[in-house]
Amino acid sequence: MTALKEPLWRHPEFRQGVRDMAPIAAGTAAWGLMTGVAMVKSGLSVFECVLMTVVVFAGSSQLAAVPLIVAGAPMWVILATAACVNLRFVVFSAHLRPYMMHQPLWRRMAGGYFTTDLSYVMFTARHPKPVPPDDLLILRAQEASLAGNCAVTWVAWVVPSLLGIAMANAVPLHWGLGFAGILALLGITLSLASSRLRLISAGVAGAAAVAAFALPLKLNILVGIAAAVAVCLMLEKPARPAAGLPTSGETA
């Protein structure tokens, strides 16, 4: 049981998580750099930019909230916008719950802070199913894998964001480096479309989000997620009993 007492960063799965995230860290870094530049050029103070980068740690909601802050929008509008943009994390959290419920509350809270879109995708791709709560060795391996993913993502986002804040006047926004982060997300999404149902869910989510683009508060993201879930639930094959045990159909 020595493996259960060692720090997560010394576990082999932590290193594997780092290796999984390393190829896309450059895209995350470019996105973080441009977010830091955008916050400064929007008129926020350096202190406000640094605080938002470290505390919020969510590029899409930061970019959605900054123009509202600068425009003097009511606080409830700013919070509602950021919440709508990040509603997808409710879905992520529901999926990750079986992986994390054995942990104390403070670790689950920390995991919620550090987990991003990319770390969630890479972790669930490597560990598609949770394990029973008494299988401590595998649980520890999964914890270490997620920690490795999150560590790379946090460093690749926060450090370039702080660099962008410091070098805001030297990095013009028209470089469009933030698009590299979008390309990284797109590449991972396409690589995960390994079944018919996943292809359909991606297509439905994209089409619905584009069709609802005019909705306020970035609600088109929520519409895309809801549409994809609804379509996949309708298309999912019904469970078939095998050897007296229920089996699940193809899932997205």
Side-chain angles (χ1 to χ4, degrees):
M1 292 296 178
T2 305
L4 299 177
K5 299 180 181 180
E6 290 183 344
L8 289 177
W9 62 269
R10 298 186 61 181
H11 197 286
E13 276 296 316
F14 182 91
R15 295 189 290 274
Q16 182 60 51
V18 170
R19 287 192 292 269
D20 289 342
M21 291 298 297
I24 56 178
T28 303
W31 199 355
L33 178 68
M34 292 311 299
T35 300
V37 173
M39 287 191 295
V40 173
K41 290 186 178 292
S42 295
L44 297 181
S45 69
V46 172
F47 175 77
E48 290 169 335
C49 293
V50 172
L51 188 65
M52 178 175 277
T53 294
V54 177
V55 174
V56 178
F57 183 46
S60 54
S61 63
Q62 287 175 231
L63 292 175
V66 164
L68 297 176
I69 295 173
V70 175
M75 181 60 69
W76 72 268
V77 173
I78 298 171
L79 294 177
T81 301
C84 287
V85 171
N86 279 347
L87 276 175
R88 65 193 185 277
F89 286 100
V90 176
V91 180
F92 299 164
S93 298
H95 187 197
L96 289 176
R97 187 177 188 275
Y99 293 89
M100 307 186 72
M101 280 308 295
H102 66 284
Q103 300 178 12
L105 178 61
W106 71 269
R107 290 183 62 180
R108 298 200 302 271
M109 296 291 287
Y113 165 76
F114 283 105
T115 301
T116 65
D117 305 76
L118 295 177
S119 55
Y120 164 79
V121 168
M122 299 305 291
F123 171 74
T124 53
R126 182 165 177 79
H127 301 281
K129 294 182 179 180
V131 297
D134 58 346
D135 200 337
L136 299 181
L137 289 177
I138 298 183
L139 284 173
R140 188 66 170 175
Q142 291 182 341
E143 290 179 40
S145 178
L146 182 59
N149 290 338
C150 293
V152 173
T153 306
W154 191 89
V155 172
W157 175 265
V158 172
V159 173
S161 292
L162 297 178
L163 186 62
I165 294 170
M167 301 176 58
N169 295 324
V171 182
L173 288 174
H174 67 259
W175 282 7
L177 292 178
F179 191 62
I182 298 175
L183 292 178
L185 282 170
L186 183 61
I188 292 176
T189 301
L190 292 176
S191 70
L192 292 174
S194 56
S195 68
R196 182 178 62 87
L197 197 57
R198 289 182 175 181
L199 284 170
I200 292 173
S201 67
V204 169
V210 171
F213 185 76
L215 290 177
L217 304 180
K218 303 291 184 179
L219 285 173
N220 62 312
I221 298 175
L222 182 59
V223 170
I225 294 173
V229 170
V231 170
C232 289
L233 287 176
M234 290 188 293
L235 296 178
E236 190 174 15
K237 295 178 181 179
R240 294 181 179 179
L245 296 174
T247 59
S248 60
E250 181 185 24
T251 59

